[in-house]
Amino acid sequence: MLTKITGGITAPQGFTAAGVHAGIKKNGQEDVGIIYSTVPAAAAAQFTTNKMAAAPVLVSRQAITQGKTRAIVINSGCANACTGDQGLTDARTMAHTTATALNLDDCEVLVASTGVIGVNLPMAKVIAGINQAAGSLSEAGHEPLLAAIMTTDTFAKACAYQFTLNGKLCKIAGIAKGAGMIHPNMATMLSFITTDAAIAPLILTQALSQAVELSFNMITVDGDTSTNDMVAVIANGEAGNAPVTTTDSQSYQEFFTALKTVCTELAQLIVRDGEGATKFLEINVTGAVSFAEAKCAAMAIAKSPLVKTAFFGQDPNWGRILCAAGYSGARSQPDKTSLVIGGLTIVVNGQGAVGFDTEKLKAVMAAKDIAVTLDLGLGTAAATVWTCDFSYEYVKINGEYTT
Amino acid sequence: MLTKITGGITAPQGFTAAGVHAGIKKNGQEDVGIIYSTVPAAAAAQFTTNKMAAAPVLVSRQAITQGKTRAIVINSGCANACTGDQGLTDARTMAHTTATALNLDDCEVLVASTGVIGVNLPMAKVIAGINQAAGSLSEAGHEPLLAAIMTTDTFAKACAYQFTLNGKLCKIAGIAKGAGMIHPNMATMLSFITTDAAIAPLILTQALSQAVELSFNMITVDGDTSTNDMVAVIANGEAGNAPVTTTDSQSYQEFFTALKTVCTELAQLIVRDGEGATKFLEINVTGAVSFAEAKCAAMAIAKSPLVKTAFFGQDPNWGRILCAAGYSGARSQPDKTSLVIGGLTIVVNGQGAVGFDTEKLKAVMAAKDIAVTLDLGLGTAAATVWTCDFSYEYVKINGEYTT
């Protein structure tokens, strides 16, 4: 049984963390951090598909293929993206500095960065910061680490759970950073997950891939895929369970459920802290011909500036939702389509529902958490996407960087 | 030679128009209009690809296949979209009423609507309005017609040109409506073009298709493809030129140039009047592997809320432009990519340009018209997309409909 517990990224056994102020951020807050497994571990990671992928993504993508990850070094305040050869050298230096301090091979370290694109890292400060962080690793380090991965987030995003695998109590914990409010950085998404469960590296990779598909890949704030996105999980086996070695086992299902729960919770927290967000929107598309088409329609609705501004302004302009599904690429037919917003039936088979009135919809749209269900009436596939509204604050955050 | 002339949609010979207030719009302005060719004509039209296409689109799509269009009846204030069977009946009634008043077959009339989705037309008012408009058709009717197709546009969008085909002076004129400012309707795009040139219907269809691909299909305001988009051209041959009957003729090139010029000018006017727009942005992508990839990258940049808000706020956060190209799906490599904004070189082969400074870029971004050129450095294909920025006013327009 999956139970929520307190504690951060170091809640699972055999993990320590640290966060320090190295001097990248001008506000004096933590900006360099390390997550460390005190014993050898399995690891898996997923990275941005953006072709302008940042230097740390290139370095980490190569390192993870060795399957020996024990540490993740992270900086905030600078994305080290679009920084050319110097950026690649700097990302490698971050891995090497961390590895040397912790007596690891370079390939046992993942590197992650978040912040402004196109600016080089102040490496003297970064190197000093990494050494300071490596020297202060502890279980209590999860708090300063959380601060070190934030840029403009308005709250820290973390969760931890325990569950049982083959009679052994296991723990899993995750942290994430999303889109902030004060500086107009990319909506860079970083997430790191630790677990003391024992699981084979290939099985862990598969579990992460499936969990990400149903969690992080189902959220959107503004439709911009960052150059620096990264999700990594480290499993060090300290719980002592019989290792999970196949995907068709009961224990795989238990582990996958725990991993998916952590990923989904963190993904939803990122949306709740979306730049300028005032509302949390769950977009369900049902009755689609395939999952891909259901997701396609749900994402089109979730990304539509017209839909997002309507929710911000509590404007009962529901036609925009059908319009977005109509251009999404998913198969749809007006006379098969039905729409429910916050429990209120708006459209049935393409016709306005009996008894619907605009005032009722306005009242429903005043809520902070709103579920939208669009039934395409063509098949049995469904998908759920989470997003936020589009406010004046979003424009302010992203338009007023230099003023 | 193509020369700009004054006059509206009735500038070409043999066209009349009218616009009346039928009572759909609450502000007392014109809301029903007719464009009419006094003689038989060739016609071509293109419609939205949105699967939730509005009733008038369904009716017009069928009518245009007869190739006999002589009249277009248009209403604003109600899109007649997502209105089920009643909507279809109403659109057919609009065609039939117009045809009866003008002694035409129903299939000689195209129907277009623009306004709020999901609301039925007040048909008694619409029928009376159509009859009134049909009775007041004149060359001077182009002014009230322009008003009748507007919803929330801040200025009327029209242009007219003359050119010579095989020794005969021909005229071509077009009007369009775009995204307005006061009511949060869909970014519905309607455009109607008249010409007195003689051209075979199939050749006209081909010319329109090519011209739209390079003009209307190269603009975006907010990425939402409307349920009601329509572009129609009527060519009545009154200029007396030898008809254009093949695409490999000099006269086709002359006509195509005129048509493309009108379409491009109207498309750009729509962007300049984009909801809340404060800037006009030209996004050029060069060095792509194909036109499709160049357009794909340019559209991703043009649609990115992060790019659009940066231009609004004059935030020199150029990394967002490379980021958008990176996730667009177009092939790209950071170390081959170069970027110029408003004549200022920012990035050369993935590295920050020598002498670039943020203050210079801020100054360039203060202009109202700004050209961005992203060179992918991989091929020889290029594409140009036009868009506008994303302002507080956009959020206000689309979030405050009911308040």
Side-chain angles (χ1 to χ4, degrees):
Chain A
M1 206 190 84
L2 196 63
T3 311
K4 194 153 195 166
I5 58 174
T6 57
I9 194 83
T10 56
Q13 296 178 62
F15 285 97
T16 57
V20 301
H21 175 63
I24 310 171
K25 284 183 191 163
K26 285 171 189 150
N27 62 5
Q29 291 184 339
E30 287 83 349
D31 50 20
V32 166
I34 296 175
I35 301 169
Y36 177 57
S37 171
T38 57
V39 296
Q46 294 228 329
F47 303 95
T48 181
T49 55
N50 193 309
K51 292 196 176 63
M52 299 286 173
V57 168
L58 301 181
V59 170
S60 296
R61 199 183 270 157
Q62 192 169 21
I64 198 73
T65 61
Q66 306 295 313
K68 293 168 54 182
T69 304
R70 280 184 58 186
I72 305 173
V73 60
I74 310 137
N75 78 272
S76 54
C78 171
N80 193 11
C82 301
T83 43
D85 296 337
Q86 186 61 47
L88 210 55
T89 301
D90 292 347
R92 289 195 185 114
T93 300
M94 283 179 69
H96 183 69
T97 305
T98 309
T100 304
L102 297 173
N103 201 23
L104 302 174
D105 285 341
D106 288 10
C107 72
E108 293 178 281
V109 181
L110 298 186
V111 184
S113 299
T114 176
V116 182
I117 293 177
V119 176
N120 285 304
L121 283 164
M123 283 307 291
K125 291 176 181 174
V126 171
I127 290 168
I130 291 172
N131 285 320
Q132 190 191 338
S136 61
L137 285 163
S138 73
E139 282 185 31
H142 71 88
E143 294 280 359
L145 172 77
L146 261 178
I149 73 165
M150 289 166 71
T151 50
T152 57
D153 303 61
T154 64
F155 57 83
K157 296 157 193 76
C159 65
Y161 287 85
Q162 65 183 31
F163 57 106
T164 306
L165 277 190
N166 301 322
K168 291 285 185 182
L169 189 70
C170 297
K171 292 175 185 156
I172 186 166
I175 60 173
K177 79 163 293 292
M181 276 193 68
I182 300 156
H183 292 288
N185 299 324
M186 297 304 306
T188 308
M189 200 278 287
L190 296 180
S191 176
F192 307 106
I193 299 161
T194 56
T195 178
D196 48 21
I199 180 167
L202 283 178
I203 305 300
L204 182 61
T205 299
Q206 197 165 331
L208 181 65
S209 169
Q210 290 182 351
V212 166
E213 195 55 52
L214 296 170
S215 57
F216 295 112
N217 286 356
M218 299 304 271
I219 64 171
T220 180
V221 169
D222 47 19
D224 279 281
T225 304
S226 154
T227 48
N228 289 53
D229 289 345
M230 181 186 305
V231 181
V233 54
I234 304 181
N236 67 6
E238 286 290 278
N241 62 295
V244 181
T245 54
T246 65
T247 56
D248 56 2
S249 58
Q250 174 67 22
S251 61
Y252 177 81
Q253 283 309 318
E254 302 276 359
F255 178 78
F256 177 73
T257 299
L259 182 63
K260 194 184 102 171
T261 300
V262 168
C263 288
T264 304
E265 187 164 332
L266 293 172
Q268 293 185 354
L269 287 172
I270 288 173
V271 168
R272 285 187 191 280
D273 199 18
E275 288 180 323
T278 74
K279 289 177 192 293
F280 178 81
L281 308 174
E282 178 180 289
I283 312 293
N284 304 290
V285 170
T286 60
V289 174
S290 66
F291 173 78
E293 291 195 17
K295 180 178 175 183
C296 174
M299 271 291 175
I301 296 165
K303 286 168 67 173
S304 161
L306 289 171
V307 171
K308 292 164 92 80
T309 49
F311 275 101
F312 169 65
Q314 301 168 25
D315 172 1
N317 206 336
W318 56 265
R320 292 171 175 178
I321 296 169
L322 271 71
C323 176
Y327 68 69
S328 68
R331 275 166 280 186
S332 62
Q333 279 174 235
D335 62 354
K336 302 273 190 185
T337 306
S338 300
L339 177 66
V340 175
I341 301 177
L344 190 68
T345 301
I346 314 287
V347 176
V348 178
N349 292 333
Q351 314 261 358
V354 177
F356 164 71
D357 81 65
T358 304
E359 289 307 312
K360 282 185 194 164
L361 180 52
K362 277 175 70 174
V364 160
M365 291 175 82
K368 278 195 71 95
D369 281 36
I370 306 170
V372 172
T373 301
L374 185 74
D375 186 350
L376 298 177
L378 297 175
T380 56
T384 298
V385 162
W386 299 281
T387 191
C388 53
D389 59 343
F390 222 171
S391 69
Y392 297 117
E393 199 62 19
Y394 180 89
V395 177
K396 185 178 173 71
I397 292 165
N398 288 301
E400 296 194 353
Y401 177 48
T402 62
T403 54
Chain B
M1 207 190 83
L2 195 63
T3 312
K4 195 153 194 165
I5 57 175
T6 56
I9 193 82
T10 56
Q13 296 177 62
F15 285 96
T16 57
V20 302
H21 175 62
I24 309 172
K25 285 183 191 163
K26 285 170 188 150
N27 62 5
Q29 291 184 339
E30 287 85 350
D31 48 23
V32 167
I34 296 176
I35 301 169
Y36 178 58
S37 171
T38 58
V39 295
Q46 294 227 332
F47 303 95
T48 181
T49 55
N50 193 308
K51 293 196 176 63
M52 300 285 173
V57 168
L58 302 182
V59 170
S60 297
R61 198 183 270 157
Q62 193 171 20
I64 197 74
T65 61
Q66 306 296 312
K68 293 167 56 184
T69 304
R70 281 183 58 185
I72 306 173
V73 59
I74 311 137
N75 78 273
S76 54
C78 171
N80 194 10
C82 301
T83 44
D85 297 336
Q86 186 61 48
L88 210 53
T89 301
D90 292 347
R92 288 194 185 117
T93 300
M94 284 179 68
H96 182 68
T97 305
T98 309
T100 304
L102 298 173
N103 201 24
L104 302 174
D105 285 340
D106 288 9
C107 73
E108 292 178 281
V109 180
L110 298 186
V111 183
S113 299
T114 176
V116 182
I117 293 177
V119 176
N120 285 304
L121 282 164
M123 283 307 292
K125 291 176 180 173
V126 171
I127 290 168
I130 290 172
N131 285 320
Q132 191 192 338
S136 61
L137 286 162
S138 72
E139 281 185 32
H142 71 88
E143 294 280 0
L145 172 76
L146 261 178
I149 73 166
M150 288 166 71
T151 51
T152 57
D153 303 61
T154 65
F155 58 81
K157 297 158 193 75
C159 65
Y161 287 85
Q162 65 184 28
F163 57 106
T164 305
L165 277 190
N166 300 323
K168 292 284 183 182
L169 189 69
C170 297
K171 291 173 184 156
I172 186 166
I175 60 174
K177 80 163 293 294
M181 277 195 68
I182 299 155
H183 292 288
N185 298 324
M186 297 304 307
T188 307
M189 200 279 288
L190 296 180
S191 177
F192 306 106
I193 299 161
T194 55
T195 178
D196 49 21
I199 179 167
L202 283 177
I203 304 301
L204 182 61
T205 300
Q206 196 165 333
L208 182 64
S209 170
Q210 289 182 352
V212 166
E213 194 55 53
L214 296 170
S215 57
F216 294 112
N217 286 356
M218 299 304 272
I219 63 172
T220 182
V221 169
D222 48 19
D224 279 281
T225 302
S226 155
T227 48
N228 289 53
D229 289 346
M230 182 187 305
V231 181
V233 54
I234 304 181
N236 67 7
E238 287 290 276
N241 61 294
V244 180
T245 54
T246 64
T247 55
D248 57 1
S249 59
Q250 172 68 22
S251 61
Y252 177 82
Q253 282 310 318
E254 303 275 1
F255 178 78
F256 178 73
T257 300
L259 182 64
K260 193 183 101 171
T261 300
V262 167
C263 289
T264 304
E265 188 163 330
L266 293 173
Q268 292 185 356
L269 287 172
I270 288 174
V271 168
R272 286 188 189 278
D273 198 18
E275 289 180 324
T278 75
K279 289 178 191 293
F280 177 83
L281 307 173
E282 178 179 290
I283 312 293
N284 304 290
V285 169
T286 59
V289 173
S290 66
F291 172 77
E293 291 195 18
K295 180 178 175 182
C296 174
M299 270 291 174
I301 295 165
K303 285 168 67 173
S304 161
L306 289 171
V307 171
K308 291 165 91 81
T309 48
F311 274 101
F312 169 66
Q314 302 169 25
D315 172 1
N317 206 336
W318 56 264
R320 293 171 174 179
I321 295 169
L322 272 69
C323 177
Y327 68 70
S328 68
R331 274 165 280 187
S332 63
Q333 279 174 235
D335 62 352
K336 302 273 190 185
T337 306
S338 299
L339 175 66
V340 175
I341 302 178
L344 189 69
T345 300
I346 314 287
V347 176
V348 177
N349 293 331
Q351 315 262 359
V354 176
F356 163 69
D357 81 65
T358 304
E359 290 306 313
K360 281 185 196 166
L361 179 53
K362 278 174 68 173
V364 160
M365 290 175 82
K368 277 194 71 95
D369 280 37
I370 307 170
V372 172
T373 300
L374 185 74
D375 186 349
L376 298 177
L378 297 175
T380 56
T384 298
V385 162
W386 299 283
T387 191
C388 52
D389 58 344
F390 223 172
S391 68
Y392 296 118
E393 197 62 19
Y394 179 89
V395 178
K396 185 179 173 69
I397 292 165
N398 287 301
E400 296 194 355
Y401 175 49
T402 62
T403 55

